[in-house]
Amino acid sequence: MSDASSQRMTFALWTVCIIAAIGFAFDIYELLMLPLIIGPALQELGGFARGTPEFTKWFGLLFYVPAVCGGIFGLLGGYLTDRYGRRRVLTWSILLYAFSAFFAGFSTNLWMLLFFRTTTFIGVCVEFVAAVAWLAELFDDPVRREKVLGYTQAFSSIGGLLIAVVNGLIVRHSAGFPAIQMPSFLTPLFGSIGPNYQHADWRYTLMSGLIPAIPLIIIRPFLPESPKWKEKKDAGTLRRPSVRELFSPELRRTTIVTTIMFACSYGVAFGAIQQMPQIVPGINLVKEKVANAAKAAPNEKAAAVASGRVVGETVANYTKSQETGGLFGRFALAMLVAHIASRRALLRIFLVPGLILTPLIFWAFARGEEKIFFSFDMSWLPGFHEVNVSLLGLGIFIAGFFTVAQFSFWGNYLPKAYPVHLRGTGESFAANIGGRMFGTPFAFLTQQIALFSFIPGATPAAKTAVVAAGMALVLFLANLIFSAVLPEQGADHAE
């Protein structure tokens, strides 16, 4: 591979790209299933209604505890990635989050759900770092490396779109699925799942996270180790990674700035965009559908189930729109990254419009007035039915475009910011300490602030949308300010 520009895409390279893309897709698949299932899960396992202090408390715990543990263990995973290799850590991290998600579907209490969501989050945090470092070291041609990192990370948004589609299908068809029952030999230890909850939508959604383990088990024997890492390891020149070295004079500014900015990027995603399941019930058209579904139901229990199905399907539809916007944003980043030398200028292409538009979009959601422009049938595509092109649907598409593109930016930027022996550790610090530990809990912060009486809005949904608008404004602005001190690097930045 002495001639970077002539490096051919071999079967091994294609295999790595495929498994990394699967990893990226299900990384987001696992993360974004929590906003979709948290409401029904808290109602079943805890009996908590939306907008109550108990609901908010457990909402925060299910976001914050996994985020903190993910940040700590993710940093350890980054160290292990630098110490023992990219392939081994990536493989075990995907298996951890896939099987944890599956077992979470058997949860009989909130503590059990919290435990398995935590182990899922730990696997996700480690996987991202190992995959990005691995891809960055496979390609010597900087242009090809930029494109591979950009386009494989675009699969993250496909994962987000996939969870919306899968969740929508599950909501419609869960009554016909096999009942979920705790195996009898585990019942004395964990308890049982009540007959009324053995077809709960949220359980099937969680268990679908097992999917990425299947291709991984098949493909793993064909996966090569990172050539750059292996070369240094075999030659005995691979230095031991150190978190302290991230704060050396040469790297201190990079570490601090990227960690803060990664936290802000995640903060917008979880403090605003992922609040949609809490915001959707306040939209006028959704209220009408819920009222009609409840009126047509034969009894109170059936009315609650029908109303929940309406809200669940509508949330899935808005999530599809948002993730489609995110997918377009990631592809836009992938097309621009090799042609714009300034990393600051590249990032600002998404920050400036996002700063202006995203708060306005969530303010529109706070008003709760949806307007459908036209509809068309997409029932030929699994997971889609009648698709509405609407005002708020286009709004969340735009918010997703400018927010999610930032994650691909960091996936391209961070591998070149650190030397080989620190690459996993440095990426992990920004992504897991900044993004996962400090960024994800903005979901809880939004819910907590929305409880204050001075927040405008007549309903919990409207208050949540108002706070989400404020979060988007503050965090986009913070990232724009910090972009002024983000260290520059060109497409041919030295290894």
Side-chain angles (χ1 to χ4, degrees):
M1 287 191 281
S2 58
D3 185 0
S5 61
S6 64
Q7 183 180 7
R8 295 181 58 190
M9 286 296 294
T10 63
F11 174 78
L13 291 177
W14 275 113
T15 303
V16 173
C17 290
I18 290 169
I19 201 67
I22 292 172
F24 287 139
F26 282 92
D27 175 331
I28 299 301
Y29 186 97
E30 303 286 3
L31 286 181
L32 298 192
M33 66 168 60
L34 182 59
L36 294 174
I37 65 93
I38 192 169
L42 290 180
Q43 289 169 4
E44 176 186 328
L45 299 178
F48 306 141
R50 298 177 191 270
T52 61
E54 294 83 5
F55 183 95
T56 302
K57 172 189 172 182
W58 273 97
F59 187 99
L61 285 173
L62 284 166
F63 271 100
Y64 189 64
V65 173
V68 171
C69 295
I72 295 170
F73 283 91
L75 184 59
L76 175 62
Y79 174 87
L80 294 175
T81 298
D82 288 331
R83 192 86 170 86
Y84 298 107
R86 302 1 181 167
R87 180 182 66 176
R88 184 181 303 174
V89 174
L90 178 76
T91 300
W92 286 107
S93 64
I94 293 179
L95 291 175
L96 173 62
Y97 75 60
F99 283 99
S100 294
F102 179 78
F103 292 134
F106 288 94
S107 296
T108 54
N109 58 68
L110 290 172
W111 292 107
M112 186 174 175
L113 177 62
L114 178 61
F115 173 80
F116 283 116
R117 282 304 300 176
T118 300
T119 54
T120 299
F121 212 103
I122 290 171
V124 166
C125 289
V126 175
E127 181 275 332
F128 173 81
V129 172
V132 169
W134 199 11
L135 288 173
E137 293 166 358
L138 284 174
F139 301 95
D140 297 318
D141 178 11
V143 175
R144 174 174 284 183
R145 181 175 60 228
E146 294 279 9
K147 289 181 177 179
V148 166
L149 282 168
Y151 286 117
T152 53
Q153 287 183 91
F155 279 82
S156 295
S157 287
I158 291 177
L161 184 60
L162 184 60
I163 183 58
V165 171
V166 169
N167 182 248
L169 287 170
I170 288 172
V171 168
R172 280 180 171 262
H173 304 292
S174 60
F177 292 167
I180 299 174
Q181 298 178 332
M182 182 69 69
S184 58
F185 68 93
L186 293 176
T187 301
L189 184 62
F190 296 109
S192 60
I193 300 170
N196 294 333
Y197 303 116
Q198 292 176 0
H199 291 273
D201 307 336
W202 66 271
R203 295 183 182 277
Y204 295 109
T205 300
L206 283 170
M207 297 174 78
S208 68
L210 183 66
I211 296 171
I214 300 171
L216 178 64
I217 292 170
I218 298 171
I219 296 175
R220 186 186 182 280
F222 304 101
L223 300 178
E225 182 53 88
S226 160
K228 289 185 174 63
W229 182 88
K230 190 174 186 300
E231 181 182 348
K232 288 180 176 290
K233 179 74 172 177
D234 292 343
T237 59
L238 185 69
R239 295 164 55 189
R240 184 182 293 268
S242 167
V243 174
R244 180 181 299 177
E245 193 175 347
L246 300 179
F247 295 92
S248 64
E250 299 82 14
L251 297 173
R252 184 186 302 126
R253 178 176 154 196
T254 296
T255 300
I256 293 173
V257 173
T258 56
T259 300
I260 293 172
M261 295 184 71
F262 218 123
C264 291
S265 298
Y266 257 78
V268 174
F270 283 89
I273 289 179
Q274 295 308 317
Q275 299 294 321
M276 289 305 295
Q278 322 312 322
I279 294 172
V280 163
I283 297 173
N284 57 348
L285 297 183
V286 178
K287 290 179 180 178
E288 292 175 12
K289 289 182 179 179
V290 167
N292 293 335
K295 188 182 298 184
N299 54 56
E300 187 175 336
K301 180 182 175 181
V305 171
S307 299
R309 182 169 288 116
V310 168
V311 173
E313 290 179 1
T314 308
V315 168
N317 288 335
Y318 279 107
T319 302
K320 292 170 193 173
S321 181
Q322 177 257 307
E323 288 300 332
T324 302
L327 179 62
F328 276 78
R330 286 184 184 271
F331 275 115
L333 188 286
M335 289 186 287
L336 293 171
V337 69
H339 303 288
I340 299 177
S342 170
R343 304 295 91 171
R344 296 176 186 175
L346 176 63
L347 182 57
R348 287 168 186 161
I349 289 174
F350 300 94
L351 286 179
V352 174
L355 171 63
I356 297 169
L357 295 174
T358 307
L360 294 176
I361 290 165
F362 280 95
W363 187 260
F365 272 103
R367 296 183 62 190
E369 297 177 7
E370 178 64 291
K371 180 180 180 181
I372 297 177
F373 299 118
F374 59 90
S375 304
F376 55 93
D377 180 43
M378 284 188 64
S379 57
W380 51 272
L381 188 62
F384 290 84
H385 305 282
E386 182 182 64
V387 175
N388 297 321
V389 177
S390 65
L391 179 65
L392 298 181
L394 290 174
I396 200 64
F397 174 94
I398 293 169
F401 181 95
F402 290 113
T403 301
V404 176
Q406 295 176 58
F407 299 133
S408 282
F409 171 85
W410 294 118
N412 280 70
Y413 181 92
L414 287 170
K416 298 178 297 177
Y418 297 98
V420 171
H421 76 285
L422 273 180
R423 186 159 287 157
T425 307
E427 291 171 24
S428 184
F429 196 92
N432 293 324
I433 300 299
R436 269 65 186 257
M437 184 180 288
F438 290 105
T440 302
F442 275 93
F444 169 68
L445 186 59
T446 295
Q447 286 292 305
Q448 196 67 40
I449 294 174
L451 290 176
F452 290 120
S453 58
F454 63 81
I455 299 296
T459 65
K463 288 176 176 288
T464 300
V466 169
V467 178
M471 285 290 185
L473 176 65
V474 170
L475 295 172
F476 264 108
L477 181 60
N479 259 357
L480 184 60
I481 292 171
F482 276 103
S483 70
V485 292
L486 181 70
E488 282 287 11
Q489 52 180 217
D492 58 349
H493 188 76
E495 294 291 338

